[in-house]
């Protein structure tokens, strides 16, 4: 039970389908036939398709992309173009070209006038805007135009393909030729609409450029005139092609000369200062460039070298005081004085050069300052002139750009091509696209089977009866002690189940009661029950048949058994055993109107029976009387087994009285008939009043059908063990 509750029981689902297979197939067959008949009445529709390709490459004679750009292959351009195909401008163009307003397929008002099936549609549409009787001709025309547009749009489909930059245009109609004609017309209208859109965009661009060029030309003339007037008024004459004034050029030249003069003066001053420093220290001035380059100094140095050579020669022959040596020394002193005098003259010359350079520098500085003062006024005017010239240049550039753009658009207007072209025209379809019989029939079959399964599930959910011992134990909380198979006419012919039990002692029916006796005995091993009560929740559930069969089976087993019919309201024991009805019964005995031997009936099997002959006005009190208790005590001592057939639990309270006098009770539940709620209420009374209850007997079970309710019960394996029985 716990395993079964953990998830979906596949076996249970299969069993449910097997139980309801003919119901499912029957409902499915009826619904499928109905769907087939309905599909046969549908008007077939045909779909024709044409394919257009988006052009992303263009023939460019001039650069027009800045005015009217081509379509880009990126992004959702294909989806955008597919939406344009279904735009009102394209669809209306097709309606006007093919005269679809006069076609009843797309104009419901024409069908209404002709008494067609769709006559209700125009009334519904006109009711949206007012009463049909109050529509003006203009309103009627508007409603009719809108209706035709929506009808045509409903049959139009576009299927964009971004990878191939193509769009499939499909149209569905009841006429196959009309479908192809409209699909091709839509493609042509779309291409023409693209071309006209480009022409219109180019025309608007040319008109705007013409107006703008006229304004820019006037602005350019005014700007250039203002530049010339200002130049003339301020005497701003250009000295070169760069536009600079004469003062500016002179100022630049003087500035350059001043820089050079300063550099020259600084260089001469540095050489002069160096010479003075060496002379003050008494160093060698021969390294000074001016001294080194002086020819006088060079000659005197040569003479010094010659005298030094002569002195060396004379010194090798004469002493230091020789006249020749003294003469040479005197000449050397004279040459030294001459060299010093020459160096002094060179220093004076360098000093003069420094003074001249400084004078020239001061002169250039004064000239530069004068020009700077004169140029300051020109610079202020020149700033204004530059501003005027920039305005004029910007206006000229803008004017030339617009003029170039205008010439490009004018030249390209005659070379415009649409953004798409038809690559595959629609052909007349050979087979209808709607209704798709195979798909619809398959769907109808699936839906019919689903409806059948739904009905089966609904009936299964509404089924409130018992089918398996597992259901009994889970629902009632009581053990199931036995399963009694159904004995129908196919098995027993005209014999009653009790007669069949006697004739077929090895049958599954007889085996069921032997098993029930064994289960009852094992329910209390120490003290097996001797008095057993049979009851049920409602009448007609087979308790009397079960009690009689149980008693007969025990009697045939050699036990001394008596069957006591205690159903005072509807006695059936005598009829079930086909005994002769006596003159007195249980009521007469308890009323002390007859002896026990007078009310006993004897069955051929050895079974004794106490029947009910006459009813009573107080059955409950009678069954609870002391005489009844004495009778039960006597029967308990006399017989091995006392079987009591009592009334149902729910209708009357007789069973409660009897249950107090017995050892145990067997509660009979009829397979596929006893309601679960009734059985639960009846069992609840046993628990409430503390009455003895051994368990439940599932009676009249169709074993061949029970196996369809799942595995586990004996019926599921009946085909495997049926050879053990002789039915």
């Amino acid at each position: 039970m716990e395993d079964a509750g953990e998830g979906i029981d596949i076996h249970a689902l299969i069993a449910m389908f097997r139980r309801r297979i003919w119901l499912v197939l029957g409902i499915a067959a009826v619904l499928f036939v109905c769907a087939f008949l309905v599909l046969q009445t549908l008007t077939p529709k045909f779909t024709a398709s044409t394919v257009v390709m988006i052009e992303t490459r263009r023939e460019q004679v001039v650069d027009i992309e800045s005015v009217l750009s081509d379509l880009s292959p990126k992004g959702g351009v294909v989806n955008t173009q597919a939406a344009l195909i279904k735009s009102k401008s394209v669809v209306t163009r097709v309606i006007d070209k093919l005269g679809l307003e006069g076609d009843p397929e797309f104009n419901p008002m024409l069908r209404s006038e002709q008494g067609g099936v769709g006559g209700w549609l125009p009334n519904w549409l006109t009711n949206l805007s007012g009463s049909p009787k109050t529509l003006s001709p203009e309103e009627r025309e508007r409603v009719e135009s809108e209706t035709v547009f929506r009808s045509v749009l409903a049959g139009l489909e576009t299927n964009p393909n971004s990878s191939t930059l193509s769009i499939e245009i499909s149209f569905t109609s009841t006429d196959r030729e009309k479908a192809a004609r409209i699909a091709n017309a839509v493609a042509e209208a779309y291409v023409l609409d693209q071309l006209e859109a480009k022409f219109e965009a180019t025309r608007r661009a040319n008109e705007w450029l013409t107006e703008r060029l006229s304004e820019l030309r006037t602005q350019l003339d005014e700007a250039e005139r203002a530049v010339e007037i200002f130049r003339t008024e301020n005497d701003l004459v250009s000295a070169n092609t760069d536009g600079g004034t004469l003062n500016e050029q002179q100022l630049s030249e003087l500035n350059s000369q001043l820089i050079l003069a300063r550099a020259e003066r600084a260089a001469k001053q540095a050489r002069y200062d160096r010479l003075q420093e060496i002379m003050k220290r008494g160093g060698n001035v021969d390294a000074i460039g001016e001294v080194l380059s002086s020819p006088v100094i060079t000659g005197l140095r040569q003479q010094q070298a010659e005298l030094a050579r002569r002195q060396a020669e004379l010194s090798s022959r004469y002493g230091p005081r020789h006249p020749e040596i003294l003469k040479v020394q005197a000449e050397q002193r004279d040459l030294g004085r001459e060299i010093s005098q020459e160096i002094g003259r060179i220093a004076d010359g360098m000093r003069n050069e420094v003074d001249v350079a400084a004078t020239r520098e001061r002169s250039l500085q004064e000239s530069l300052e004068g020009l700077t003062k004169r140029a300051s006024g020109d610079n202020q005017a020149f700033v204004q002139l530059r501003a005027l010239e920039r305005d004029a240049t910007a206006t000229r550039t803008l004017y030339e750009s617009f003029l170039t753009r205008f010439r490009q658009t004018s030249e390209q207007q005659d070379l415009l091509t649409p953004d798409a072209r038809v690559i595959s025209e629609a052909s007349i379809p050979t087979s209808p696209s709607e209704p798709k019989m195979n798909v619809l029939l398959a769907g109808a079959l699936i839906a019919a089977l689903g409806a059948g399964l739904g009905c089966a599930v609904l009936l299964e959910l509404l089924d409130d009866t018992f089918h398996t011992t597992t259901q009994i134990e889970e629902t009632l909380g009581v053990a199931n002690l036995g399963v009694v198979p159904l004995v129908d006419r196919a098995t027993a012919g005209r014999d009653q189940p009790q007669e069949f039990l006697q004739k077929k002692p090895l049958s599954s029916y007889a085996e069921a009661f032997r098993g029930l006796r064994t289960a009852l005995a094992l329910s209390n091993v120490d003290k097996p029950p001797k008095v057993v009560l049979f009851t049920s929740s409602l009448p007609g559930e087979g308790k009397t048949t079960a009690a009689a069969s149980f008693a007969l089976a025990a009697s045939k087993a050699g036990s001394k058994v008596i069957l006591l019919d205690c159903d005072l309201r509807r006695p059936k024991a005598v009829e079930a055993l086909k005994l002769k009805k006596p003159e007195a019964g249980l009521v007469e005995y308890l009323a002390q109107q007859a002896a026990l031997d007078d009310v006993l009936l004897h069955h051929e099997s050895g079974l004794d029976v106490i029947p009910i002959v006459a009813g009573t006005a107080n059955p409950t009190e009678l069954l609870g009387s002391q005489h009844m208790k004495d009778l039960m005590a006597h029967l308990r001592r006399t017989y091995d087994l006392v079987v009591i057939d009592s009334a149902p639990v729910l209708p009357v309270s007789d069973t409660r009285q009897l249950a107090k006098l017995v050892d145990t009770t067997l509660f009979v539940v009829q397979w596929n008939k006893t309601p679960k709620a009734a059985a639960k209420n009846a069992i609840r009374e046993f628990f409430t009043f503390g009455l003895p209850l051994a368990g439940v007997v599932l009676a009249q079970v169709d074993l061949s059908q029970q196996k369809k309710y799942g595995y586990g019960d004996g019926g599921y394996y009946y085909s495997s063990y049926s050879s053990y029985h002789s039915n």
Side-chain angles (χ1 to χ4, degrees):
M1 291 170 59
E2 292 178 356
D3 293 341
E6 291 179 355
I8 297 176
D9 191 345
I10 301 299
H11 294 280
L13 293 177
I14 297 174
M16 183 200 72
F17 181 75
R18 291 176 60 190
R19 292 193 299 273
R20 309 288 182 178
I21 180 63
W22 294 113
L23 174 66
V24 173
L25 294 179
I27 294 176
V30 172
L31 294 179
F32 181 76
V33 171
C34 293
F36 178 79
L37 296 177
V38 170
L39 291 176
Q40 295 301 316
T41 63
L42 297 179
T43 302
K45 293 185 178 181
F46 300 87
T47 300
S49 300
T50 182
V51 180
V52 296
M53 185 180 70
I54 305 300
E55 294 282 1
T56 58
R57 292 179 296 179
R58 285 289 177 272
E59 194 180 311
Q60 294 291 343
V61 178
V62 294
D63 182 15
I64 196 174
E65 291 185 354
S66 55
V67 178
L68 186 64
S69 61
D70 291 326
L71 293 179
S72 170
K74 299 179 180 180
V77 63
V78 179
N79 294 328
T80 303
Q81 295 303 307
L84 290 177
I85 293 175
K86 302 178 74 173
S87 64
K88 194 164 187 176
S89 61
V90 175
V91 176
T92 303
R93 189 190 298 271
V94 174
I95 293 174
D96 296 339
K97 179 181 178 181
L98 300 181
L100 299 182
E101 288 187 352
D103 192 335
E105 181 181 354
F106 306 108
N107 193 341
M109 292 186 176
L110 297 179
R111 295 201 297 270
S112 176
E113 294 172 358
Q114 297 173 3
V117 177
W120 59 273
L121 185 59
N123 294 333
W124 174 77
L125 289 173
T126 53
N127 285 335
L128 294 178
S129 57
S131 174
K133 298 180 181 179
T134 61
L135 282 179
S136 63
E138 293 79 7
E139 292 175 337
R140 179 179 176 84
E141 182 179 357
R142 178 180 59 82
V143 172
E144 183 176 7
S145 176
E146 185 67 21
T147 304
V148 173
F149 168 73
R150 294 187 179 279
S151 299
V152 175
L153 189 63
L156 180 63
E157 292 293 335
T158 56
N159 184 21
N161 190 334
S162 300
S163 60
T164 60
L165 297 179
S166 62
I167 304 173
E168 182 183 19
I169 304 174
S170 302
F171 193 84
T172 302
S173 173
T174 56
D175 188 337
R176 64 182 73 200
E177 295 181 357
K178 187 191 302 181
R181 186 167 63 253
I182 294 178
N184 290 327
V186 170
E188 294 174 1
Y190 164 66
V191 173
L192 184 60
D193 185 76
Q194 291 292 306
L195 189 59
E196 289 184 353
K198 282 200 169 186
F199 274 117
E200 181 63 20
T202 305
R203 183 188 63 78
R204 289 196 302 269
N206 284 338
E207 291 179 356
W208 183 81
L209 287 173
T210 301
E211 296 177 359
R212 186 61 178 155
L213 281 173
S214 179
E215 297 175 359
L216 290 175
R217 189 180 296 109
T218 302
Q219 295 176 8
L220 179 60
D221 292 342
E222 294 176 354
E224 290 179 344
R225 188 179 299 108
V227 171
E228 295 302 326
I229 292 173
F230 186 84
R231 189 188 297 275
T232 302
E233 290 177 351
N234 292 273
D235 195 19
L236 298 176
V237 180
S238 298
N240 50 41
T241 57
D242 296 335
T245 63
L246 291 175
N247 287 335
E248 289 179 342
Q249 185 175 1
Q250 291 177 4
L251 187 62
S252 177
E253 291 177 356
L254 281 176
N255 192 37
S256 299
Q257 292 178 10
L258 178 60
I259 293 172
L260 294 176
R262 287 176 178 174
E264 182 181 0
R265 193 265 308 165
K268 291 181 178 182
Q269 183 69 44
R271 289 196 298 272
Y272 175 73
D273 293 341
R274 177 62 176 167
L275 177 62
Q276 291 294 323
E277 182 180 358
I278 294 175
M279 290 175 64
K280 288 179 181 180
R281 291 199 313 263
N284 186 10
V285 295
D286 291 342
I288 302 301
E290 284 75 2
V291 176
L292 186 62
S293 62
S294 174
V296 176
I297 297 296
T298 302
L300 294 175
R301 292 298 183 188
Q302 290 177 354
Q303 291 179 15
Q304 265 187 341
E306 181 63 26
L307 290 176
R309 185 186 60 78
R310 286 177 59 192
Q311 183 179 7
E313 290 178 357
L314 293 173
S315 296
S316 62
R317 289 182 294 173
Y318 305 109
R321 305 299 297 172
H322 191 275
E324 288 298 329
I325 293 176
L326 294 175
K327 181 180 180 180
V328 170
Q329 291 177 348
E331 291 178 357
Q332 287 179 340
R333 287 192 294 272
D334 292 338
L335 286 174
R337 284 192 297 272
E338 291 180 4
I339 290 174
S340 298
Q341 293 175 357
E342 184 63 26
I343 291 174
R345 286 194 296 271
I346 290 174
D348 292 339
M350 292 176 64
R351 177 62 185 173
N352 291 333
E353 290 179 358
V354 170
D355 294 339
V356 172
T359 302
R360 183 171 179 272
E361 179 183 353
R362 286 193 299 272
S363 177
L364 289 174
Q365 180 67 37
E366 293 174 356
S367 299
L368 180 63
E369 292 176 355
L371 283 175
T372 301
K373 294 179 180 179
R374 290 195 300 272
S376 61
D378 293 343
N379 288 339
Q380 295 179 0
F382 196 72
V383 170
Q384 299 180 12
L385 177 63
R386 291 292 187 187
L388 293 174
E389 288 179 343
R390 284 195 299 270
D391 291 341
T393 301
T395 305
R396 185 183 301 106
T397 302
L398 185 61
Y399 173 76
E400 291 175 353
S401 175
F402 273 80
L403 182 61
T404 302
R405 192 78 53 84
F406 174 75
R407 291 174 178 174
Q408 289 175 346
T409 55
S410 300
E411 294 296 331
Q412 188 74 6
Q413 187 171 6
D414 297 333
L415 299 175
L416 290 177
T417 57
D419 294 327
R421 63 185 178 91
V422 179
I423 60 175
S424 175
E425 293 187 351
S427 58
I428 299 176
T430 58
S431 58
S433 59
E434 297 179 13
K436 297 180 180 179
M437 295 299 293
N438 294 335
V439 177
L440 292 178
L441 287 177
L445 179 59
I446 294 174
L449 289 173
L453 288 173
C455 291
V457 172
L458 180 61
L459 290 177
E460 197 72 19
L461 294 175
L462 294 176
D463 189 354
D464 191 38
T465 60
F466 295 98
H467 304 98
T468 64
T469 59
T470 302
Q471 289 180 337
I472 289 176
E473 293 176 348
E474 289 180 350
T475 304
L476 303 180
V478 180
N480 184 86
L481 297 183
V483 175
V484 180
L486 174 67
V487 178
D488 53 10
R489 290 188 177 273
T491 304
R494 295 186 177 182
D495 292 337
Q496 295 296 322
Q498 300 84 351
E499 298 173 333
F500 180 75
L501 184 145
Q502 295 180 18
K503 293 180 179 180
K504 297 289 184 177
L506 297 180
S507 63
S508 58
Y509 184 77
E511 184 63 31
F513 285 100
R514 283 193 290 269
L516 181 60
R517 286 180 57 213
T518 303
L520 192 62
L522 293 176
S523 64
N524 191 344
V525 179
D526 297 331
K527 188 178 180 182
K530 293 186 63 176
V531 181
V532 181
L533 175 68
F534 277 81
T535 187
S536 62
S537 57
L538 298 172
E541 294 181 351
K543 62 177 181 57
T544 301
T545 302
S549 299
F550 183 77
L552 284 174
S555 178
K556 290 183 68 66
S559 298
K560 187 177 182 181
V561 184
I562 184 171
L563 175 61
L564 187 60
D565 191 352
C566 291
D567 190 350
L568 300 178
R569 304 167 195 267
R570 293 180 61 183
K572 296 289 185 180
V574 173
E575 180 182 348
L577 295 173
K578 293 185 178 181
L579 295 174
K580 183 179 179 181
K581 188 175 182 180
E583 296 180 356
L586 178 63
V587 176
E588 288 78 10
Y589 172 77
L590 295 177
Q592 298 181 357
Q593 297 175 1
L596 182 59
D597 294 336
D598 296 334
V599 300
L600 281 177
L601 297 179
H602 301 283
H603 191 265
E604 60 183 7
S605 63
L607 174 66
D608 291 338
V609 179
I610 298 179
I612 298 294
V613 175
T616 179
N618 52 350
T620 304
E621 289 77 4
L622 183 63
L623 294 176
S625 64
Q626 185 61 40
H627 292 290
M628 184 64 184
K629 296 178 181 179
D630 295 339
L631 175 62
M632 294 303 299
H634 173 71
L635 296 178
R636 186 187 295 273
R637 293 190 301 268
T638 307
Y639 291 91
D640 298 329
L641 179 63
V642 178
V643 180
I644 301 176
D645 177 24
S646 69
V649 175
L650 295 181
V652 295
S653 60
D654 301 355
T655 304
R656 299 177 190 172
Q657 293 291 346
L658 285 173
K660 299 177 182 179
L661 306 177
V662 302
D663 295 336
T664 189
T665 303
L666 289 177
F667 189 84
V668 178
V669 171
Q670 184 175 351
W671 181 82
N672 201 27
K673 180 180 179 182
T674 301
K676 294 180 180 179
K680 286 195 291 186
N681 290 333
I683 294 296
R684 187 181 297 114
E685 291 198 7
F686 280 87
F687 293 152
T688 301
F689 296 103
L691 303 177
L693 179 64
V696 178
V697 178
L698 184 60
Q700 301 185 40
V701 178
D702 188 343
L703 296 179
S704 62
Q705 294 295 323
Q706 191 194 27
K707 65 180 180 180
K708 298 179 181 179
Y709 285 89
Y711 62 96
D713 279 3
Y716 186 79
Y717 307 102
Y718 178 69
S719 59
S720 300
Y721 64 75
S722 59
S723 60
Y724 280 83
H725 301 144
S726 177
N727 292 329

